[in-house]
Amino acid sequence: MTTDRLDSSLRALVDTIYSRHQPIRDPLTLLPQWFDALRQLLPFSSAVFMPIDPVGGALCQGYTHDCDPHEMRDYLAHYQTLDPYVIWQPALQNPDTVVRLSDVTDIGRTVRGEFGEFMNRVPYFHALAVIPQLNGVPLGVFSVHRQRRQRDFDQREMLLFQWFVGHAATAIDYLSLQRQRDQQRPAAVLVLTRDGKIQALSVEAQRILEALPENEAQILPGRTDASRIWRCGSEVYVVSTRRVDPASIIGLEHASRVPPTPAFERLGQRLRIAENEQRREFAVTLEKLEVNNAVRGEVFGLHLSPQQKRVAILLLKRYEPRQIAEILALSPHTVRDYVKDIYRRAGVNGYEKLVSKLANASGASPSANDPMT
């Protein structure tokens, strides 16, 4: 391939990855056209993308390109632990770097072993793999394969595949953030003084405050708290205080200044300022956790401790363990222990299975006598 033709093909591949003509629910639905465009530059017989469980680090069912999805399910169930990539974890230990299978193991010897049964079924003999990271968290495994009769991947092809995966991961990250922005609920934010007077609030925040019980004040996070979980009827909220100038939030038109009226004073009485609060004025944000009643009822039916319930609900919201640790002011190690116990109580051994079990659950709604705070 001439230099001009190569440059033109590279530009076409970049255009394919970053072009988006209509809203999408899942960025991974674009993988077929991305892999098809890659094949024009890098011939391969099959390819896969398998997400990585953000909690346990296990591979999950993902997208297969020109290989049977049933084979991938069989791989995850029976052959994953025999894969040299999994045994030695070269791609996980060297994120964002391409790893060639022939540099990890003696392929001739491997194909004659138990894992060779799977390689002959797909079939493949040569492989490249890259695990890109987003904000320090592994996204998943991109891998391309060639059959025995084809030659192994060379250094130029390895660098090309690494380049492709870098752009694909960036596009997935961008499209995911864009989808979150498009689906974002109206901001629920208010500004309070240290003595509990409401200075400003958004329409959504006012709606939430009006739904709070009048006879039981909700405790706000203090300066040393990352957040608190509130239950209001059937709704669950993550409540955080912001260490920013409240005027900057008002400037974004999320919240409007309110006059000191009896109505707003009564709303303020539904909130209890933390005893260690020293800030003269601070902002509070309330994020509704979109967990349906059946799922929430099943979570509360697992006989978890209050803190484990908080972790379970945040886990279902697809918060990563490090984010859960930050939100609940726990150590990452403690969160991982909680997650393992949640898996055990739910009778599952992975994140995707937990979500599937609870998403299809029809458990009872949580009892009003089962407080989260």
Side-chain angles (χ1 to χ4, degrees):
M1 184 180 293
T2 66
T3 302
D4 289 344
R5 185 179 173 190
L6 176 61
D7 290 344
S8 176
S9 298
L10 289 173
R11 286 194 295 271
L13 179 55
V14 170
D15 288 343
T16 299
I17 293 174
Y18 289 107
S19 64
R20 183 186 137 194
H21 304 294
Q22 59 186 8
I24 57 172
R25 292 184 59 83
D26 184 356
L28 300 186
T29 59
L30 298 173
L31 286 175
Q33 64 190 74
W34 292 359
F35 276 122
D36 280 339
L38 173 65
R39 183 174 265 157
Q40 303 304 311
L41 289 164
L42 176 62
F44 57 85
S45 59
S46 59
V48 297
F49 170 78
M50 289 183 285
I52 292 179
D53 183 336
V55 176
L59 296 173
C60 305
Q61 183 71 29
Y63 167 72
T64 59
H65 197 78
D66 288 349
C67 59
D68 191 338
H70 293 91
E71 299 288 4
M72 284 299 102
R73 281 194 283 272
D74 202 21
Y75 166 84
L76 293 173
H78 304 292
Y79 292 99
Q80 181 179 177
T81 56
L82 303 173
D83 189 339
Y85 277 128
V86 175
I87 294 172
W88 305 110
Q89 299 189 334
L92 192 60
Q93 294 175 12
N94 299 278
D96 303 308
T97 303
V98 65
V99 178
R100 184 169 53 187
L101 181 60
S102 58
D103 293 331
V104 178
T105 186
D106 181 334
I107 300 181
R109 185 185 234 169
T110 300
V111 81
R112 291 193 296 271
E114 191 175 354
F115 187 66
E117 297 176 9
F118 175 77
M119 296 175 69
N120 289 323
R121 282 164 50 184
V122 172
Y124 78 90
F125 193 80
H126 308 289
L128 298 177
V130 180
I131 297 180
Q133 284 195 351
L134 296 176
N135 301 316
V137 178
L139 173 66
V141 179
F142 287 85
S143 184
V144 290
H145 317 125
R146 282 178 179 165
Q147 298 180 18
R148 182 193 291 264
R149 66 177 180 270
Q150 299 171 304
R151 63 175 177 82
D152 200 355
F153 297 94
D154 60 31
Q155 289 293 327
R156 183 193 67 82
E157 292 170 325
M158 292 172 66
L159 292 175
L160 176 59
F161 185 56
Q162 181 173 302
W163 172 87
F164 162 79
V165 172
H167 282 290
T170 300
I172 290 172
D173 188 31
Y174 170 75
L175 292 171
S176 298
L177 291 172
Q178 193 169 50
R179 181 181 60 175
Q180 291 173 14
R181 184 200 66 186
D182 294 343
Q183 296 175 347
Q184 191 173 16
R185 293 175 57 85
V189 62
L190 63 148
V191 179
L192 287 171
T193 62
R194 191 167 52 213
D195 56 0
K197 290 185 171 56
I198 297 176
Q199 301 296 297
L201 81 168
S202 66
V203 174
E204 182 70 5
Q206 182 173 346
R207 184 192 67 77
I208 294 172
L209 293 185
E210 289 173 345
L212 293 176
E214 296 184 36
N215 56 354
E216 184 181 351
Q218 299 293 320
I219 302 175
L220 290 165
R223 289 188 62 188
T224 58
D225 298 325
S227 66
R228 292 186 68 88
I229 301 285
W230 285 2
R231 284 181 59 196
C232 177
S234 62
E235 308 296 350
V236 180
Y237 296 93
V238 174
V239 184
S240 310
T241 59
R242 295 292 180 90
R243 301 174 184 274
V244 297
D245 179 5
S248 66
I249 295 179
I250 298 168
L252 293 173
E253 298 182 351
H254 287 171
S256 302
R257 287 283 180 185
V258 297
T261 64
F264 286 116
E265 185 176 338
R266 285 194 294 271
L267 284 181
Q269 291 172 356
R270 300 182 184 186
L271 306 173
R272 185 192 305 172
I273 307 297
E275 293 181 1
N276 63 349
E277 183 59 66
Q278 301 295 321
R279 292 168 290 188
R280 184 179 62 84
E281 195 174 53
F282 56 95
V284 180
T285 57
L286 304 97
E287 178 193 2
K288 181 180 178 181
L289 296 183
E290 299 286 0
V291 185
N292 63 51
N293 287 338
V295 170
R296 191 182 303 113
E298 184 71 7
V299 167
F300 280 77
L302 295 178
H303 306 293
L304 304 174
S305 70
Q307 195 73 291
Q308 287 174 324
K309 292 171 187 174
R310 299 183 180 101
V311 171
I313 291 177
L314 291 172
L315 192 64
L316 289 173
K317 282 288 293 176
R318 293 190 177 272
Y319 281 89
E320 298 161 3
R322 60 181 179 82
Q323 294 172 318
I324 296 174
E326 183 178 351
I327 289 173
L328 299 179
L330 299 171
S331 73
H333 179 75
T334 299
V335 171
R336 289 186 183 278
D337 284 345
Y338 282 156
V339 170
K340 290 177 182 177
D341 197 35
I342 291 167
Y343 284 177
R344 182 182 62 79
R345 291 171 184 266
V348 299
N349 58 6
Y351 173 76
E352 295 297 336
K353 291 182 180 179
L354 177 71
V355 172
S356 176
K357 176 183 175 71
L358 298 185
N360 296 318
S362 58
S365 297
S367 166
N369 297 320
D370 192 9
M372 290 194 66
T373 54

